[in-house]
Amino acid sequence: LNPWDVMLCVSGTAIACENALVVAIICYSPALRTPMFVLVGSLATADLLAGLGLILNFVFQYVIRSETVSLLTVGFLVASFAASVSSLLAITVDRYLSLYNALTYYTERTVLCVHTMLAGAWGVSLCLGLLPVLGWNCLHDPAACSVVRPLTKSNVTLLSASFFLIFLIMLHLYIEICKIVCRHAHQIALQQHFLTASHYVATKKGVSTLAIILGTFGASWLPFAIYCVVGNPDYPSVYTYATLLPATYNSMINPIIYAYRNQEIQRSMWVLFCGCLQAKVSFRSRSPSDV
């Protein structure tokens, strides 16, 4: 057994368990059907599928050796991780809109916008996952292989370019969110003639949270995306594993950042597992900017 494959399988198992719990909580709780939680559920579903894909890839690699199965599992992983990254972008857009259009956020238009973003994200992710299965692979042309077999160099270049574009869009949106948050804090200070300590702490905490979210996303995926572009298939496979493993950690951290820190999901967990609260517990409506 390759120890790197074992680590990926263990990582996939942890990812699947964490995100399966989030999906179960959101499906179980009728109060968690707002656009914000629909996006969180989409992210958890994508990460859940990615975790299952890592497990299946390990099983099929050591139990069922087949080119067809290899293409299917790789395509499944590409689609799942692409859906995860796309869902993160959709959550970022939703957070920005909740602040930029705060007065019109809680309307049917927002629901339509969220559903449209999710349909586009999953549609594009599915297309990216089908490319290796439909023939964009290097099984019959080893010279065209990338650092991630059986994907071709042009395929991983496309995936890396898509990631860089999404990362830049998220960076721009989070900078705009920080500007809006600081502007709101300044307006409150003008109205109250001074900036209270609580407002300062809340603003600093919000900006720090955004930095942690973007920093975690970049630190997880940037090394792998860069190596896919500059790497050579002749390099030792340990380089691929060493950059791919941190990328999987992003799907392990996402539930903690976007789900388990949320008060509504915490309450639903108590209801689901402990029964400490009544099933019809009241929930305070919150915007994505609170999460």
Side-chain angles (χ1 to χ4, degrees):
L1 291 178
N2 185 335
W4 288 100
D5 289 329
V6 175
M7 293 174 67
L8 285 175
C9 183
V10 172
S11 177
T13 304
I15 291 170
C17 293
E18 279 186 303
N19 289 281
L21 179 58
V22 176
V23 173
I25 291 172
I26 293 178
C27 292
Y28 171 80
S29 305
L32 304 181
R33 303 293 167 81
T34 61
M36 175 184 66
F37 288 110
V38 170
L39 291 172
V40 174
S42 171
L43 175 62
T45 302
D47 288 332
L48 169 61
L49 294 177
L52 294 176
L54 290 173
I55 299 172
L56 292 175
N57 183 65
F58 177 83
V59 172
F60 291 142
Q61 185 174 355
Y62 289 96
V63 178
I64 304 175
R65 294 183 176 273
S66 169
E67 291 184 353
T68 303
V69 172
S70 175
L71 285 175
L72 289 174
T73 53
V74 169
F76 185 78
L77 283 171
V78 170
S80 301
F81 281 118
S84 176
V85 174
S86 300
S87 296
L88 286 174
L89 175 61
I91 290 176
T92 305
V93 173
D94 185 60
R95 285 181 166 181
Y96 172 75
L97 293 177
S98 70
L99 290 172
Y100 185 77
N101 296 321
L103 296 179
T104 60
Y105 178 77
Y106 294 98
T107 62
E108 292 296 329
R109 183 179 178 181
T110 300
V111 177
L112 178 62
C113 178
V114 167
H115 290 166
T116 302
M117 286 194 298
L118 289 181
W122 282 92
V124 172
S125 301
L126 181 61
C127 292
L128 292 174
L130 287 175
L131 290 178
V133 181
L134 297 178
W136 203 359
N137 58 72
C138 63
L139 292 179
H140 303 293
D141 185 14
C145 282
S146 66
V147 295
V148 184
R149 293 182 177 88
L151 300 181
T152 63
K153 296 178 182 177
S154 54
N155 195 342
V156 297
T157 301
L158 172 64
L159 295 174
S160 298
S162 301
F163 167 79
F164 291 136
L165 177 61
I166 290 176
F167 181 77
L168 290 176
I169 294 175
M170 290 179 62
L171 177 61
H172 173 72
L173 289 176
Y174 275 128
I175 291 175
E176 293 299 318
I177 289 174
C178 288
K179 291 180 180 179
I180 294 174
V181 170
C182 293
R183 191 183 309 127
H184 286 177
H186 181 67
Q187 291 174 349
I188 293 174
L190 291 178
Q191 293 176 357
Q192 298 183 350
H193 304 293
F194 63 93
L195 184 62
T196 62
S198 60
H199 289 144
Y200 174 77
V201 171
T203 303
K204 184 179 179 180
K205 181 180 178 181
V207 174
S208 300
T209 301
L210 296 180
I212 292 174
I213 291 173
L214 192 63
T216 301
F217 177 63
S220 299
W221 278 105
L222 276 177
F224 181 67
I226 294 174
Y227 182 68
C228 284
V229 175
V230 303
N232 190 294
D234 297 330
Y235 293 168
S237 60
V238 65
Y239 295 157
T240 302
Y241 283 112
T243 53
L244 176 59
L245 190 61
T248 65
Y249 291 159
N250 187 66
S251 296
M252 196 182 302
I253 298 173
N254 283 339
I256 300 174
I257 295 178
Y258 296 96
Y260 294 132
R261 293 173 60 250
N262 182 270
Q263 293 181 0
E264 280 83 349
I265 289 183
Q266 291 174 3
R267 291 181 182 180
S268 298
M269 288 179 63
W270 284 107
V271 172
L272 182 61
F273 292 107
C274 301
C276 297
L277 300 176
Q278 296 182 359
K280 295 183 180 180
V281 64
S282 60
F283 289 86
R284 180 174 66 89
S285 178
R286 304 172 76 198
S287 72
S289 58
D290 297 324
V291 181

